[in-house]
Amino acid sequence: MLALRLTRRAHPAVQLRRLLVATASAGTGFLLLCALGHALTHPDSPGGSFLRLTWCAAPLAATVHFAVAVARTDPGTRPRPGLAAIGLGPVRLMAVSATTTALSTLLGSMLALLFFLHLRGDLTGMPFDGAAADFLAASEPLPLPAALTLLSLVPAAASLSVAVTLRPREPRPTPSEGPRRFGRFGAYGTTGARETFGAYGRFGARLRHPAGSRAAGAAPDPKESDTPSASESHPPAPTSADAPTTPAGLPWGTAVLAAGLAVEAYASTATTTAPMPGGLPTGPAAVLIGWALTAVGLALGGPGLTHLCGRLLQSARPGALRLLAGRVLMEEATRIGRPLGVVCAVASAAYAMAVLPGPAADGRSLGPLTTLGATVVTGCAIATLLTAAVEARQARADTTAALLRLGAPPTMLRSAAALRASALLAVFGPLTLIVAELAALPLAR
C-alpha cells in the first residue's frame, strides 16, 4: 500500500519516467512473446526459436538498466531524517523502491500481453488482415503458463536489480580517515576522531621539549615561543585524498575493449556465419562475441574516461570556469560514466550497421521485430543517460545553491555545463567512430 501511495502522489516528472519504464517493459515483453510464437509455429526448428529468444537479451538488459536508473532518481524512496523513527529505514525504502519498479514493469508486461492477444485475434478478431499471423502463432493455442513465465522476466530482473543496487551499505572510510580499527571492547570502528592539523600545531611545542629537559624555573626561549614552526607557517599542500576518488574500471574496460576488438579482427578471417535479426547482414559468429565484449568494455571504461576528462579540463593553468567544470566531471564520473559508455556502445553499433551495405541492396527491409528491438535498446540507453544527468543535478543541488549565494553568476554555471558536454563529446565521439569502424570490418567483406 505504501508503494501505491508513493506512486500515486509522485511528481509528474517521476511519473513520466515510470511510464517510460513501463513502455520499455512492454516492448521487451512483446519481443519475448513473439519468440514464443515463433517456437509454436516452427516446432521442427528449435535452434531458430532459441536464437530469437537470445536476441531478446539486449532489450531485456537495456530495460533493466533503465529501471535501475529511474529508481535511483526517485525522491520518494530516498532516505530522509525522521523516516527511520516511523519504520521507514533504509531497508524498508529499498523494498518500497523495488516494489514500485515491479509495479511499473508489470504494467508494461500486461500491456504487451494484451497487445499480443489483440494482434492474434483472440480479443476482437484478426487485425491487419492477418499480416502478423506468422510470428504471433495465431493458428496455435497460446500456452498461458509459458507466456506468463516469459513476461515475468522483466519485472523479476528489474526489481531484483533495484534491490541489489539500493541495498544499505556501510560507509567506507575515506583516505583521510585511514583504515578502520577495533575500538574499546572489540567495537568495530574508529576509536576517536583524528587530530586535525591545527591541534598538532598547538601541542607540538610541548612534545619537542619534554619535562626535565629544561631546568626548573628557567625562562622560555623567546625565539622558540615567538617564532612559528615550519609546520605552522606553511600549511600542508592538498593531497589526492581531497580529490574525488578515481574510478577503478578503466584498466578493466580497456582490457575488455581490446579483447573485443581482437575477437572482431579474428572474425574477419572466419568462415562460419551466424544468422542476424531480420534484415541485418549475416557475418561470422565471432562478431557477436566481439561486439558484446566491446560493449562491456565501453561500459566499464566510461567512468574512468569521464574522470580523465575532468582532469584534462583542470590541466595547464585553469581558470575558475575550467576548475568548476573539471571538478564536477570528476565527482560525477561514476554516476554518468557508465550510461555514457553504454550510449557509446549503442551508437557505435548503429554506425556500423549504417555504413554496411543495407538490406535494400538485397531487396529486403528491416523486419518489424528488429526495428522494435533496436528502438527499445536505443531509447533505453539514451533515457538512462538523461536520467543519470538528472540524478547528478539532484546530487549537486546544494553545491549549486551555495555557489549562487556566494555570488557566482548563473551564466558561469551554464558555461561550465556546456564545457563539460564539449569535453565529453571530444573524448567519446572519436572513440565511438573508431570502435564502429573496427566493428564493421568483419561484415564489410
Side-chain angles (χ1 to χ4, degrees):
M1 293 300 297
L2 179 59
L4 290 176
R5 291 179 180 178
L6 291 176
T7 302
R8 182 170 56 88
R9 297 185 179 183
H11 192 270
V14 179
Q15 298 284 22
L16 177 61
R17 291 194 289 267
R18 291 172 179 169
L19 182 61
L20 292 177
V21 171
T23 304
S25 176
T28 305
F30 185 79
L31 291 174
L32 292 171
L33 291 177
C34 290
L36 175 62
H38 184 273
L40 293 176
T41 55
H42 301 81
D44 54 342
S45 59
S49 302
F50 179 75
L51 182 63
R52 285 175 175 262
L53 186 62
T54 303
W55 277 109
C56 296
L60 176 62
T63 302
V64 171
H65 191 208
F66 180 42
V68 171
V70 170
R72 289 171 58 93
T73 58
D74 192 352
T77 57
R78 188 173 303 165
R80 291 186 296 271
L83 291 182
I86 60 175
L88 292 178
V91 177
R92 182 75 180 278
L93 289 178
M94 178 268 295
V96 169
S97 183
T99 305
T100 304
T101 303
L103 291 176
S104 301
T105 52
L106 187 60
L107 173 62
S109 297
M110 292 299 102
L111 291 177
L113 179 60
L114 291 177
F115 188 65
F116 185 79
L117 294 176
H118 171 67
L119 293 181
R120 279 172 50 92
D122 296 337
L123 300 180
T124 59
M126 181 69 67
F128 306 115
D129 297 330
D134 185 21
F135 58 85
L136 297 180
S139 60
E140 301 290 337
L142 182 65
L144 191 58
L148 295 180
T149 300
L150 290 177
L151 289 177
S152 64
L153 291 179
V154 178
S159 58
L160 181 61
S161 300
V162 169
V164 171
T165 303
L166 301 182
R167 70 186 186 277
R169 295 181 177 88
E170 183 181 359
R172 297 179 179 180
T174 60
S176 59
E177 294 176 354
R180 291 182 179 270
R181 55 185 181 272
F182 290 93
R184 186 174 55 186
F185 301 112
Y188 183 69
T190 55
T191 57
R194 294 172 61 90
E195 287 187 345
T196 61
F197 172 76
Y200 176 80
R202 286 193 299 271
F203 297 98
R206 289 183 292 177
L207 294 177
R208 289 193 301 269
H209 302 285
S213 61
R214 181 184 298 159
D221 190 356
K223 294 183 179 180
E224 295 182 0
S225 58
D226 296 339
T227 304
S229 62
S231 60
E232 294 176 352
S233 58
H234 299 285
T239 62
S240 59
D242 301 328
T245 306
T246 305
L250 184 56
W252 285 104
T254 304
V256 175
L257 178 61
L261 295 178
V263 171
E264 292 175 2
Y266 167 76
S268 60
T269 61
T271 57
T272 58
T273 60
M276 297 289 186
L280 295 180
T282 59
V287 172
L288 304 180
I289 302 176
W291 282 2
L293 289 177
T294 53
V296 173
L298 289 173
L300 290 177
L305 289 177
T306 306
H307 192 274
L308 179 62
C309 290
R311 284 197 175 276
L312 291 178
L313 281 178
Q314 299 177 82
S315 61
R317 302 178 63 88
L321 181 61
R322 289 170 53 195
L323 279 175
L324 178 60
R327 189 74 175 186
V328 170
L329 272 184
M330 293 171 64
E331 287 283 351
E332 299 173 355
T334 305
R335 185 176 288 110
I336 68 173
R338 187 153 298 148
L340 192 58
V342 173
V343 170
C344 182
V346 173
S348 62
Y351 179 82
M353 291 294 101
V355 299
L356 290 174
D362 300 332
R364 298 176 299 158
S365 60
L366 290 177
L369 298 183
T370 303
T371 304
L372 176 61
T375 302
V376 170
V377 172
T378 305
C380 287
I382 296 176
T384 302
L385 179 59
L386 296 178
T387 305
V390 171
E391 181 188 2
R393 183 177 181 181
Q394 294 174 353
R396 66 172 185 269
D398 296 338
T399 303
T400 303
L403 289 175
L404 293 176
R405 285 195 305 267
L406 291 175
T411 56
M412 180 180 180
L413 300 180
R414 290 192 291 267
S415 301
L419 185 58
R420 294 195 300 270
S422 302
L424 292 176
L425 184 61
V427 172
F428 282 90
L431 177 63
T432 302
L433 295 178
I434 293 174
V435 173
E437 290 288 347
L438 294 178
L441 288 180
L443 299 178
R445 60 185 179 89

